[in-house]
Amino acid sequence: MVSRSYSNLLDLISCDSPKIGDSTGVGNVSKRLTRVMTAAGIISELEEEYSTSSAASDAPSVQREKLIIVSNQLPVRAHRRTDGTGWYFTWDEDSLLLQLKDGLDDNLDVTYVGCLREEIDMREQDEVAQILLDTFNCIPAFLPADLLSKFYHGFCKQYLWPLFHYMLPLSPDLGGRFDQSLWRAYVSVNKIFADKVMEVLNPEEDFVWVHDYHLMVLPTFLRKRFNRLKLGFFLHSPFPSSEIYRTLPIRDEILRALLNADLIGFHTFDYARHFLSCCSRLLGVTYQSKRGYIGVEYYGRTVSIKILPVGIHMEQLKQVMDNEETGLQAAKLCESFKNLVVLLGVDDMDIFKGISLKLLAMEQLLEQHANWRGKVVLVQIANPARGRGRDVQEVQAETHSIVERINKKFGLPGYDPVLLIDKPLQFYERVAYYVIADCCLVTAVRDGMNLIPYEYTISRYGNCRLDQVLGLDPLSPKKSVLVVSEFIGCSPSLSGAIRVNPWNVESVSEAMYSALCMGDMERQLRHEKNYRYVSTHDVSYWANSFVQDLERACKDHGKRRCWSVGFGLTYRIVALDPNFRKLSVEHIVSAYRRSRNRAILLDYDGALMPQFSVNKGPTEEVLKVITSLCRDPHNTVYIVSGLDKETMSRWFSFSERLVIAAEHGYLIRKNNESEWETTVPVIGFEWKQIAEPIMKLYTETTDGAAIEATESALVWQYQYADPDFGSCQAKELLSHLESVLSNEPVTVKTGPRIVEVKPQGVTKGLVAERLLSELKEKSVRADFVLCIGDDRSDEDMFEVINQAAAAGPFLSPVAEVFACTMGQKPSKAKYYLEDSSEILRMLQGIANFSDSSSSTPLLA
């Protein structure tokens, strides 16, 4: 069964639902969902159809905050009854999803959505779903076997997982080639999960936390149904660099889907940096750090980035350490490895864990340091692989071959230098190995997090029982040594570990030798460093921190107006100020018709002419519209640009009544017979002799950058440079220029891929002020004002116009003001149009009225 409909959900929670017990299936506990979605955005309470108790129906209900945790697998284990008549379920104590509850508020109701590891017959699915809902607060997603295989073993494990671990599918043997049918299965499963979340979601109150790469497009399906949904996502795997990620055929779809979340979490800064670089390079979105938080600006929304590695469950580990069987197992191991130094490796049997590299380092250690033969043993615990395929079989064969070779070459009677344990171990057995191991080795070539070093560090701290088993003084300082790969997520947080490049076998061998020869004092100091971090950053800390940041990221949801843009996986939400809306052509034409004294202020670069067009000159349509507007004597028309005065004079001398401003308002010309004049007092430009050599230095070192010089300003632009390197260089240049020009009368600013130095006080707002002042001098009070711009430099014009509309002698009391920016984005303008073509169509609409009307001159 692909998914349950809402009507099936009603059947599940009807009063005829089966009686369910505890985790063993015994008892009588009944639960029902308090709300379901009957339509998008509408919540309805379910009532007993044949209720006979009016008191029950009138009883008030107490709503609790709810967190819906969505993951590929539920934190429960299914067990078939011995008589084969049904299923019973238990919590999976090793599941991170279950452990993180300890870090959440007790008043927070946690609901899980995910799949079971076991395949459930369709005839049993309704009963199983009810059991999981009533007993565990879990909503299962039942996937057909063929769909599950394509989704998990196909797209997730054979394509995404290798790619996210930096393995490109250069041949069919290296990962999996992209298959559209597997991608469709991936999308289908994410849709099924979205349906399951919908069954229990109160979109105005609940928080949703999605986990890992299996469900990366789920945020889009959820956001499409509820645009104010409080949604977080945490990626537990690495995120590859842009050079690797950009090979993904559906790269944009996944990035846009992730950006539909409010908060995206990563284990390390490197993973977050790679994600931000991909967003910048592939989508062109920007990000910034403010007060310690990193945010991606995405269509008016700020998507927060969280960097915090997950921790271990301290209480669970301490309980296992307190178990009697753990002490007994540790005692047996101490006897087995008596008089031996134990090196321990615990890894999954897959291609990225670097088991063979670790074994080769052990072989080199014994080769180069013969005195350690018979004194040191490497215990390698190889957990069963989570995936399947030929690569797993090859890793197993290679591992066994190397172990056999080492033991044959360096073994002695009663002594094997390598002990390979390739069967599943109970957690207490693994902890016992941690307790007796002198050093733990984790040499994965790529791993999202890896909590083995954390578990080892805490286990080595021990307790009274284990100290007694090991013959240690409980008051003596604890000691441990970690050798960890620099390519795993936990490496940056373990300051006391020896970090190695696992590909350098000689380096790993030297690190192992250093660990063997390390003195007790250094072992103590390294252990204390690691223990201090691991013990204070456990899974509870991680979960609580993530949920707190999710609440912070969603706190302004109710204050925004949201617009839906795009179809399918290109869908996104545009968040705008409540008063920000699209400019209706009918509305502005109607206001234009009613007005008699009009002030029109147009930005040329980007608004009338696309920013990155090859030919910067005005088109025939633009010239025609401006001519029509200038011909109407009721209009006073200004055009402002960042271009130089020579270019502006050459392009816009066709109309005697057109006022043009160049260099962002520094120069202005009233008509084609007037001279250019400055809007601010002319100051010397000696500062150019300081700024220009510095800009040239950065231009020489930044491929694709260039300098544009005007009479008043110097502009360093990096439009054609590498986005990341250009941005980095721009920040350095900004800091450099601000430092050396601190005593000069100039302003250093950044803009869209530019760094600009210009005289203080020069803004486009000066042009708006000049326009209004000119009208006032002629005793004309405008009753229609249109101001159009496209970027941050135009915000000064909008601010002047808005202030004039709010109060001042410049405008008529009945004036209608239209401050309009290009694109849906945060702005001081109250209106927007999508692009230059829409702006031109709107101007053509009002120009047509001017052409068809007869008017009397505005100015005497």
Side-chain angles (χ1 to χ4, degrees):
M1 184 178 295
V2 174
S3 66
R4 301 290 185 203
S5 66
Y6 301 140
S7 59
N8 286 344
L9 178 63
L10 295 175
D11 294 337
L12 282 178
I13 57 177
S14 67
C15 54
D16 295 326
S17 59
K19 303 299 182 182
I20 308 300
D22 53 17
S23 61
T24 62
V26 181
N28 183 8
V29 180
S30 181
K31 181 189 288 190
R32 55 197 299 277
L33 289 175
T34 58
R35 55 176 71 86
V36 295
M37 305 305 303
T38 56
I42 301 174
I43 308 294
S44 67
E45 296 293 332
L46 289 179
E47 297 179 354
E48 296 281 355
E49 186 175 357
Y50 302 104
S51 175
T52 58
S53 173
S54 61
S57 62
D58 295 335
S61 60
V62 179
Q63 299 295 338
R64 300 174 62 191
E65 276 194 327
K66 182 165 62 181
L67 174 65
I68 301 174
I69 298 177
V70 193
S71 180
N72 177 47
Q73 291 186 340
L74 291 171
V76 295
R77 294 187 178 276
H79 311 273
R80 175 67 79 174
R81 296 187 185 280
T82 55
D83 57 6
T85 58
W87 297 88
Y88 70 97
F89 303 89
T90 58
W91 286 115
D92 181 2
E93 300 293 339
D94 295 331
S95 172
L96 174 68
L97 304 183
L98 180 63
Q99 295 172 357
L100 66 80
K101 285 181 66 176
D102 287 354
L104 305 178
D105 193 295
D106 292 337
N107 294 321
L108 189 64
D109 186 17
V110 178
T111 300
Y112 295 101
V113 177
C115 294
L116 290 168
R117 293 177 177 84
E118 294 74 14
E119 184 177 355
I120 307 297
D121 188 271
M122 186 177 296
R123 293 168 296 182
E124 301 176 298
Q125 288 179 4
D126 286 346
E127 181 181 359
V128 167
Q130 188 67 50
I131 292 173
L132 292 174
L133 171 64
D134 289 354
T135 312
F136 300 94
N137 219 19
C138 292
I139 307 295
F142 298 109
L143 305 179
D146 59 336
L147 181 63
L148 175 62
S149 178
K150 289 182 177 180
F151 159 70
Y152 183 75
H153 296 292
F155 195 77
C156 290
K157 299 304 289 185
Q158 293 300 318
Y159 193 78
L160 279 184
W161 188 73
L163 188 74
F164 277 36
H165 287 76
Y166 287 73
M167 189 171 79
L168 290 173
L170 300 177
S171 71
D173 295 335
L174 297 174
R177 293 289 176 85
F178 185 79
D179 186 332
Q180 281 288 349
S181 66
L182 300 183
W183 165 241
R184 288 193 292 270
Y186 182 85
V187 173
S188 297
V189 170
N190 277 252
K191 287 182 178 178
I192 293 172
F193 273 75
D195 291 337
K196 288 299 175 182
V197 173
M198 289 283 293
E199 293 178 356
V200 292
L201 177 66
N202 177 354
E204 298 298 327
E205 302 292 339
D206 297 345
F207 292 87
V208 180
W209 186 357
V210 181
H211 288 262
D212 221 2
Y213 64 94
H214 313 90
L215 302 171
M216 286 194 294
V217 299
L218 178 58
T220 288
F221 296 126
L222 295 177
R223 184 69 65 190
K224 192 171 184 179
R225 302 186 187 190
F226 300 108
N227 53 37
R228 288 188 176 86
L229 180 66
K230 303 168 185 176
L231 177 60
F233 180 92
F234 196 93
L235 183 66
H236 293 272
S237 76
F239 196 93
S241 65
S242 61
E243 288 75 15
I244 299 294
Y245 180 82
R246 67 197 310 170
T247 64
L248 191 62
I250 36 83
R251 59 193 189 182
D252 289 1
E253 289 86 338
I254 288 181
L255 286 180
R256 292 191 185 281
L258 291 176
L259 290 173
N260 274 320
D262 296 296
L263 176 66
I264 306 174
F266 299 93
H267 286 306
T268 73
F269 173 71
D270 279 346
Y271 303 161
R273 177 169 56 85
H274 294 159
F275 172 76
L276 294 171
S277 176
C278 289
C279 290
S280 174
R281 291 170 178 269
L282 301 178
L283 302 183
V285 300
T286 61
Y287 61 91
Q288 60 181 353
S289 179
K290 185 177 181 181
R291 296 183 178 179
Y293 295 100
I294 301 175
V296 179
E297 299 300 324
Y298 189 62
Y299 291 93
R301 297 171 52 243
T302 299
V303 181
S304 298
I305 303 299
K306 175 77 172 177
I307 303 171
L308 183 65
V310 70
I312 60 175
H313 194 285
M314 292 286 293
E315 292 304 317
Q316 181 196 32
L317 182 54
K318 289 180 179 179
Q319 288 175 8
V320 174
M321 291 167 61
D322 287 335
N323 288 346
E324 183 177 357
E325 54 190 358
T326 304
L328 294 175
Q329 182 68 18
K332 292 180 182 178
L333 294 176
C334 282
E335 185 63 29
S336 299
F337 300 111
K338 190 175 182 179
N339 299 323
L340 290 175
V341 176
V342 178
L343 307 178
L344 177 66
V346 182
D347 305 278
D348 292 342
M349 185 69 81
D350 68 50
I351 57 177
F352 297 112
K353 294 303 185 288
I355 297 177
S356 60
L357 297 173
K358 185 189 308 178
L359 294 173
L360 292 175
M362 181 65 179
E363 183 178 31
Q364 184 166 322
L365 172 71
L366 296 174
E367 185 76 46
Q368 295 180 348
H369 304 281
N371 58 310
W372 279 99
R373 299 174 189 175
K375 299 179 182 179
V376 62
V377 60
L378 170 62
V379 179
Q380 177 61 55
I381 300 174
N383 301 318
R386 301 179 187 179
R388 61 190 184 189
R390 191 169 68 179
D391 56 347
V392 174
Q393 297 172 0
E394 291 175 350
V395 169
Q396 290 174 332
E398 181 184 22
T399 300
H400 283 276
S401 174
I402 297 175
V403 169
E404 183 178 347
R405 184 179 72 225
I406 294 174
N407 287 339
K408 184 177 181 180
K409 186 175 182 181
F410 301 106
L412 300 171
Y415 165 74
D416 285 331
V418 179
L419 173 61
L420 178 63
I421 303 173
D422 57 353
K423 63 179 181 180
L425 294 182
Q426 297 291 328
F427 189 31
Y428 80 89
E429 295 178 294
R430 197 167 81 221
V431 171
Y433 276 102
Y434 290 148
V435 169
I436 62 99
D438 298 280
C439 174
C440 182
L441 308 168
V442 181
T443 57
V445 296
R446 188 69 62 180
D447 207 349
M449 184 58 197
N450 201 314
L451 296 177
I452 298 301
Y454 287 12
E455 294 177 350
Y456 170 74
T457 299
I458 300 301
S459 298
R460 286 291 292 179
Y461 191 79
N463 55 34
C464 293
R465 179 196 298 272
L466 294 174
D467 287 342
Q468 185 177 2
V469 169
L470 299 175
L472 299 175
D473 181 359
L475 300 179
S476 64
K478 309 300 180 181
K479 301 184 293 290
S480 68
V481 182
L482 278 170
V483 176
V484 300
S485 164
E486 62 190 56
F487 301 120
I488 62 177
C490 66
S491 176
S493 58
L494 295 171
S495 58
I498 301 175
R499 297 188 182 93
V500 295
N501 175 3
W503 297 104
N504 187 339
V505 173
E506 184 175 351
S507 173
V508 177
S509 178
E510 291 175 357
M512 296 167 69
Y513 182 69
S514 296
L516 294 174
C517 301
M518 190 176 294
D520 286 348
M521 182 58 69
E522 185 176 352
R523 289 170 176 267
Q524 294 170 16
L525 293 175
R526 289 180 176 273
H527 175 81
E528 288 173 4
K529 280 187 175 182
N530 295 332
Y531 183 83
R532 191 180 306 117
Y533 177 85
V534 175
S535 60
T536 55
H537 293 73
D538 61 358
V539 68
S540 298
Y541 176 87
W542 170 77
N544 182 60
S545 179
F546 187 91
V547 172
Q548 284 184 349
D549 278 8
L550 180 58
E551 291 176 351
R552 178 189 56 80
C554 301
K555 66 180 181 179
D556 293 330
H557 274 199
K559 302 177 182 178
R560 303 179 307 196
R561 294 176 67 244
C562 298
W563 298 74
S564 300
V565 179
F567 299 95
L569 292 176
T570 64
Y571 177 87
R572 63 257 188 209
I573 289 294
V574 178
L576 306 171
D577 184 272
N579 298 319
F580 190 66
R581 57 187 182 275
K582 189 168 186 176
L583 180 58
S584 166
V585 176
E586 293 78 9
H587 181 198
I588 193 171
V589 170
S590 176
Y592 189 86
R593 288 172 180 268
R594 294 192 301 269
S595 60
R596 302 296 295 172
N597 302 316
R598 310 182 189 106
I600 300 174
L601 181 56
L602 306 175
D603 172 61
Y604 178 75
D605 315 297
L608 293 182
M609 182 57 58
Q611 186 74 39
F612 301 114
S613 59
V614 177
N615 183 9
K616 301 293 185 180
T619 62
E620 183 178 347
E621 292 83 358
V622 170
L623 294 175
K624 184 178 178 181
V625 166
I626 294 174
T627 300
S628 297
L629 293 175
C630 292
R631 190 183 299 128
D632 190 332
H634 290 284
N635 296 343
T636 301
V637 182
Y638 277 51
I639 288 185
V640 60
S641 170
L643 297 170
D644 59 82
K645 64 181 181 180
E646 288 78 13
T647 302
M648 292 295 288
S649 298
R650 187 170 64 253
W651 288 348
F652 296 105
S653 294
F654 56 85
S655 174
E656 295 181 357
R657 301 186 63 249
L658 178 63
V659 183
I660 55 178
E663 301 187 19
H664 297 296
Y666 175 72
L667 294 167
I668 193 166
R669 194 186 72 177
K670 294 183 178 180
N671 53 60
N672 52 15
E673 295 182 356
S674 302
E675 296 294 327
W676 286 91
E677 56 185 87
T678 61
T679 55
V680 295
V682 179
I683 305 174
F685 293 98
E686 293 79 7
W687 56 266
K688 285 189 176 182
Q689 300 175 9
I690 303 173
E692 192 166 13
I694 296 173
M695 285 188 172
K696 285 183 178 179
L697 175 63
Y698 282 81
T699 303
E700 292 170 359
T701 57
T702 309
D703 188 27
I707 300 174
E708 296 178 0
T710 64
E711 182 177 324
S712 65
L714 287 174
V715 180
W716 188 81
Q717 62 91 3
Y718 57 99
Q719 175 184 344
Y720 302 108
D722 177 89
D724 284 343
F725 183 60
S727 176
C728 179
Q729 290 288 82
K731 291 176 183 177
E732 289 294 324
L733 176 59
L734 176 67
S735 176
H736 196 163
L737 291 173
E738 286 179 336
S739 175
V740 299
L741 298 175
S742 59
N743 295 323
E744 300 292 335
V746 295
T747 300
V748 185
K749 286 188 175 181
T750 59
R753 299 195 176 184
I754 66 166
V755 177
E756 182 181 30
V757 185
K758 60 183 180 180
Q760 289 178 349
V762 174
T763 70
K764 290 183 180 179
L766 294 175
V767 181
E769 292 175 355
R770 185 71 169 262
L771 169 59
L772 297 175
S773 298
E774 179 185 339
L775 293 176
K776 182 183 178 183
E777 290 173 3
K778 299 182 180 299
S779 301
V780 175
R781 302 181 73 184
D783 55 3
F784 175 94
V785 179
L786 172 62
C787 181
I788 296 179
D790 73 301
D791 60 24
R792 281 187 291 180
S793 67
D794 301 309
E795 294 297 313
D796 296 316
M797 294 193 301
F798 299 146
E799 185 175 9
V800 171
I801 296 298
N802 291 336
Q803 289 175 352
F810 299 103
L811 303 182
S812 167
V814 294
E816 296 191 68
V817 177
F818 299 90
C820 177
T821 189
M822 191 174 77
Q824 302 179 46
K825 59 192 177 188
S827 173
K828 294 176 182 177
K830 293 186 178 180
Y831 299 93
Y832 75 91
L833 290 171
E834 291 292 352
D835 51 32
S836 299
S837 61
E838 281 198 0
I839 292 174
L840 190 58
R841 283 196 296 270
M842 181 273 294
L843 292 175
Q844 287 171 338
I846 61 176
N848 290 339
F849 173 77
S850 290
D851 289 339
S852 63
S853 65
S854 57
S855 308
T856 57
L858 172 64
L859 302 176

